[in-house]
Amino acid sequence: MAAREVDFLLVGGGMASAHCASELRRRGADGSVLLAGRESEPPYERPPLSKEYLRGDAERETAFVNPAGWYEENDVELLTGVNVMSLDPNERTAKLQGGDEVSFGRALLATGAMVNILRVEGAENEGIHYLRAFGNSDAIRADAEAAEHVVLIGGSYIGTEVAASLTAKGVKCTILMMEDVALSRVFGENAGRWFHEMLEARGVTVHGGEELEAFEGDGRVKAVLTKSGRAIECDAVVVGAGVRPDAMLAQRAGLEVDDGVLCDSKLRSSAGGIYAAGDCCSYDSVVHGRRLRVEHWDVAMQQGIHAARNMLGDDRDYDVVPYFFSDLADWASLEYVGPAHDWDEEIWRGDRDAGEFSVWYLKDGRVAGALSVERSEDLAEARRLLAGGVDVSAARDQIADPDSDLSQLGA
Ligand SMILES: Cc1cc2nc3c(=O)[nH]c(=O)nc-3n(C[C@H](O)[C@H](O)[C@H](O)COP(=O)(O)OP(=O)(O)OC[C@H]3O[C@@H](n4cnc5c(N)ncnc54)[C@H](O)[C@@H]3O)c2cc1C
C-alpha cells in the first residue's frame, strides 16, 4: 500500500518539470502536484551557467525558473535533493530517496541529460571541470579567477561559450577540438568558419583536428596532451564533450528507451499515464517525420508545457519547431531553428562581414534549418516554411536578398 497519493508526479528538477508544473496550475488543474529533483536548488535555467552567471554579471536568483515562494503559493510540493529511485508503471507508484512511496495518477519524466566524461590518463587531476550545474559554474569561476590559461576541450556550444566568457574576463583561453572548424558540427563548415574566425579575432586560440591523449599534473592539472604530440600548459580545463540523455530511471522501470525515453508524437512514453519532456525525451516529430531528441532550453520549456496540456486531456501532437540560442560573450548572439541533420544547399542572406546574416539550410528544395546572427526576424519565416514543408527552390534569389519580404513565401 503506497504511503501517499498525488495526481501529478514530476520527476526531475529542471526546466521541463518546472514549466509543466506552471502550466498545470495556469490551466486550472486543482490536483496535487509533486515535483522531485535531485539537485539542492529549485529548478533553474542552465544557459547563464556558461554565460552571464559564469562571468559574474548575473546573480544566482535570476536563473531560477520560478520566483522564491511560487511553489508554495501555487500549492506545488517541491522536493529538492531528492532522487526518484524507482518507478512501477503498472502500479503507478514511485519510490523516493529516503524510502517514501508515492502513488500517482500521471507522471512526467524530465530527468535531463548527463555530461560525457573523458576517461583518459590524468583525468583524476584537480582543475578539470565539466559544466552542467550551478556548482560546476561556481568552481570554474573560482579557478578562472586565479588562472592565466584555461583549455577548453570541445568546439561546440559549451567550449565556445565558456571560452568567450572567460576571455571577456581577461583569461587566456585555448579551444582544442577534433573537428577542424568550431561549431561546424551543427552549422556546417561555412557558418562555423565565421564563428571560428570571430573567436580567433577576439583572442581565443583554436586548435582544430586535435584529439585528447591525456592530462598531465601533480594532483592539479598542468597540461593537456594531444594525440598529435602537442602539449598545452594550463591552469584549468573545461570539458564540453556533449551530453547523453538520462533515461536510467525509465530503463529500470522497463519503459522503452533508445537515445532517451521513447515517446510518441504526443510525448507519451510506452507506459500509460507517463510522459517525457526535455533533454531526456526522444519523440516522434510530426514536423520532421522522424524521431528527434534535442538538448535545447526552449524545447524543454515547450515540451513541459505541452506534456501538462496532454496530461489534462488535450491529446495533441507536439509540433513545435525546435529553437536554440547561444551567446558568445557580447561578441555575437546566434539563434537557430531546425535541426538540419543533412542538407544539400546553403543560402546566405545578409552581411557576413558586418555580422548580420542568416544561413538557410535546404534539403531537396525545402528548409531544413536556419541560423541567424543578429537577424532574428528571418527565423520566424524560416520556422514557418520548415513547419509547412514549403518548396522554396524557386525562391532562392528572394531568400538571398536581405531586403526582400519573405512573409508571402509559401502563403
Ligand atoms: C552550461 C549550459 C548552457 C546551456 N546553454 C543553452 C543555450 O544557450 N541555449 C539552449 O537552448 N540550451 C542551452 N543549454 C541546454 C538547456 O539548458 C537544456 O536543454 C535544459 O536544461 C534541459 O532541461 P530539462 O528539464 O530537460 O533537463 P535538466 O535541466 O537537465 O534537468 C533535469 C533534472 O532532473 C534531475 N534528475 C535526473 N534524474 C532524476 C531522478 N531520478 N530523480 C530526481 N531528479 C532527477 C537532474 O539532476 C536535473 O536536475 C545549456 C545547458 C548547459 C548545461
Side-chain angles (χ1 to χ4, degrees), residues 11-17 36-39 46-47 49-51 82-84 110-113 131-132 158 161 246 249 277-280 295-298 300 323-326:
V11 184
M15 281 289 288
S17 277
R38 70 162 69 114
E39 288 185 69
R46 299 183 196 276
L49 305 185
S50 51
K51 309 179 187 72
V82 172
N83 234 321
V84 176
T111 46
L131 180 49
R132 185 76 195 168
I158 296 292
E161 288 177 3
D246 186 343
L249 180 68
D279 285 8
C280 73
E295 297 132 10
H296 301 349
W297 169 90
D298 185 64
Y323 165 85
F324 176 84
F325 70 91
S326 172

Side-chain angles (χ1 to χ4, degrees), residues 276-359:
D279 285 8
C280 73
C281 171
S282 174
Y283 70 104
D284 275 332
S285 169
V286 291
V287 175
H288 301 79
R290 60 181 153 89
R291 190 166 289 287
L292 204 62
R293 191 185 65 76
V294 283
E295 297 132 10
H296 301 349
W297 169 90
D298 185 64
V299 175
M301 175 171 72
Q302 304 280 356
Q303 290 188 341
I305 292 170
H306 197 87
R309 292 177 181 170
N310 280 358
M311 283 177 175
L312 295 175
D314 269 17
D315 204 34
R316 285 189 45 233
D317 288 334
Y318 180 74
D319 60 0
V320 182
V321 177
Y323 165 85
F324 176 84
F325 70 91
S326 172
D327 291 333
L328 299 172
D330 60 358
W331 311 338
S333 290
L334 69 88
E335 295 168 277
Y336 178 76
V337 291
H341 282 172
D342 65 328
W343 60 92
D344 45 35
E345 199 177 341
E346 287 176 13
I347 302 176
W348 284 64
R349 177 178 165 92
D351 190 340
R352 187 186 169 112
D353 295 335
E356 278 176 34
F357 61 85
S358 56
V359 184

